């Protein structure tokens, strides 16, 4: 049987595209800069749970086909950087039970929002799919992460664009095995999750390790009819964050039968069309054109932290070349170029998704 994501996409009329939500974290932050939104606090603070569900509802009302869980940011403590070697030492172990607890709670909040949204809807309205957000190792380790394309460099923080960002591969694999624990995947599938979305991958070594771990989970993925996608974060139209080429990463994913979709996220929108071209070229060369192209870039704004600048709004600065740029217009072009799932990342709001959905319906 085909995974749920593929079946849903095949049901779409022309243009065949599923609409993904936008930037959950920055949508919450836009409401209250003091409010934390990382997933562990969902367990302890009912205010945060209520706010996450409110943002989910806003995206559902905008017409999304896929809703992403608030499970990306699960911080892991216990690392120290040896600046002489550029390597990190592990001081702690990964707890599968903790990851599973937070993941299932995030899924529960998404389901609550969908249940409320679907109440009273006509039977012909399809229930939105749930994508379980899974962060890369570098995104969750409690350390000063290197600069990425939409973050300004910070003084005194090393910019370690190395394979694995300086981590040994067994540490990355240990994290991914814990994050994708078999028992959690089984419960996720029972709870309505259709897609495991591994996001913001900026390193070729981690792409390779993700593919290896997904192969280890093959039976669980098949039994749960779980689709997967891996979304890359790119510094430009050619290179990943660490400097490896996008084409190399796509080739690795193309060869994995357990990767349903190949994506780009948290990347500046100006690079998306050439990146789609690269993905399509590699998929054609590998004769695996059935894989879905998943696109959800950021708004192109630069994260500036606490910099005091009149051009900085809520810690974000919009480059002059993006003045007058509209997400929905660009997103339609990505669909025309071959993207099968389209949404947004940082600073893409429910209003942007609503406008895109309207433009997409006009194409039918």
């Amino acid at each position: 049987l085909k995974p749920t994501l593929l079946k849903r996409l095949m049901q779409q009329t022309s243009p065949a595209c599923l609409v993904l939500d936008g930037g959950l974290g920055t949508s919450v932050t836009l409401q209250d800069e003091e409010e934390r939104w990382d997933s562990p606090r969902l367990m302890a603070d009912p205010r945060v749970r209520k706010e996450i569900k409110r943002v989910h509802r806003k995206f559902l009302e905008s017409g999304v086909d896929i809703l992403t869980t608030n499970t990306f940011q699960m911080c892991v403590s216990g690392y120290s950087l040896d600046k002489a070697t550029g390597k990190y030492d592990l001081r702690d172990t990964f707890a599968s039970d903790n990851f599973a607890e937070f993941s299932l709670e995030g899924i529960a909040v998404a389901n609550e929002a969908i249940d409320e949204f679907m109440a009273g809807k006509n039977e012909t309205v399809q229930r939105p799919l749930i994508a379980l957000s899974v962060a890369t190792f570098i995104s969750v380790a409690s350390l000063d992460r290197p600069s990425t394309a939409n973050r300004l460099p910070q003084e005194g923080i090393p910019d370690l664009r190395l394979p694995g960002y300086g981590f040994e591969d067994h540490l990355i694999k240990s994290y991914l095995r814990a994050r994708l624990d078999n028992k959690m995947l089984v419960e996720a599938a029972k709870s309505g999750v259709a897609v495991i979305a591994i996001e913001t991958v900026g390193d070729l070594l981690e792409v390779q390790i993700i593919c290896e771990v997904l192969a280890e989970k093959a039976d669980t993925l098949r039994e749960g009819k779980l689709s997967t996608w891996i979304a890359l974060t790119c510094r430009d139209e050619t290179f990943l964050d660490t400097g490896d080429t996008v084409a190399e990463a796509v080739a690795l994913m193309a060869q994995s039968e357990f990767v349903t979709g190949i994506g780009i996220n948290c990347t500046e929108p100006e690079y998306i069309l050439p990146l789609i071209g690269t993905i399509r070229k590699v998929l054609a060369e590998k004769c695996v054109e059935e894989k879905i192209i998943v696109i959800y870039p950021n708004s192109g704004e630069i994260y500036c932290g606490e910099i005091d600048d009149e051009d900085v709004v809520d810690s974000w600065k919009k480059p002059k070349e993006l003045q007058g740029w509209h997400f929905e217009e660009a997103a339609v072009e990505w669909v025309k170029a071959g993207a099968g799932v389209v949404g947004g990342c940082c600073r893409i709001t429910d209003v942007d998704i609503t406008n895109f959905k309207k433009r997409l319906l006009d194409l039918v």
Side-chain angles (χ1 to χ4, degrees), residues 47-258:
R47 296 176 306 157
V48 177
R49 183 189 182 98
K50 180 179 179 180
E51 175 65 0
I52 295 302
K53 190 161 69 169
R54 185 195 67 80
V55 175
H56 278 328
R57 282 293 306 271
K58 295 289 285 185
F59 280 120
L60 289 166
E61 290 160 7
S62 74
V64 299
D65 302 296
I66 306 173
L67 189 69
T68 309
T69 60
N70 182 49
T71 52
F72 181 86
Q73 193 68 40
M74 295 187 185
C75 294
V76 179
S77 62
Y79 295 92
S80 64
L81 171 66
D82 184 336
K83 293 185 178 180
T85 64
K87 299 290 185 181
Y88 291 97
D89 295 323
L90 183 63
R91 307 284 187 192
D92 201 357
T93 57
F94 300 113
S96 296
D97 289 345
N98 289 340
F99 283 141
E101 181 182 10
F102 295 144
S103 295
L104 294 174
E105 185 65 16
I107 295 166
V109 174
N111 267 317
E112 287 174 17
I114 293 174
D115 288 343
E116 292 175 7
F117 172 73
M118 293 296 294
K121 291 284 191 298
N122 188 292
E123 290 182 359
T124 60
V125 177
Q126 290 188 304
R127 185 180 177 88
L129 303 176
I130 295 177
L132 177 65
S133 175
V134 176
T136 57
F137 181 85
I138 188 63
S139 299
V140 301
S142 181
L143 50 90
D144 295 321
R145 70 169 292 183
S147 302
T148 52
N150 70 332
R151 289 172 178 259
L152 289 180
Q154 298 181 49
E155 186 177 351
I157 296 178
D159 186 7
L160 294 176
R161 286 190 167 95
L162 304 168
Y165 291 96
F167 282 99
E168 301 291 344
D169 57 356
H170 70 90
L171 298 180
I172 302 172
K173 184 170 285 189
S174 175
Y175 159 72
L176 287 166
R177 283 171 171 163
R179 192 73 192 265
L180 299 176
D181 176 69
N182 282 331
K183 291 181 180 179
M184 185 279 294
L185 291 176
V186 168
E187 290 303 315
K190 290 179 180 178
S191 300
V193 169
V195 185
I196 307 300
I198 306 172
E199 308 178 303
T200 321
V201 186
D203 172 51
L204 186 65
L205 175 61
E206 189 156 17
V207 172
Q208 177 183 333
I209 294 171
I210 292 169
C211 291
E212 292 172 358
V213 172
L214 290 178
E216 294 174 1
K217 310 290 180 179
D219 290 343
T220 304
L221 294 172
R222 286 196 191 98
E223 290 169 8
K225 298 183 179 64
L226 290 168
S227 303
T228 67
W229 73 56
I230 302 174
L232 306 172
T233 181
C234 310
R235 64 167 70 174
D236 55 30
E237 68 271 23
T238 304
F239 297 103
L240 302 177
D241 189 44
T242 54
D244 301 302
T245 68
V246 174
E248 290 176 290
V250 174
L252 279 176
M253 292 185 280
Q255 294 166 4
S256 172
E257 64 178 292
F258 307 107

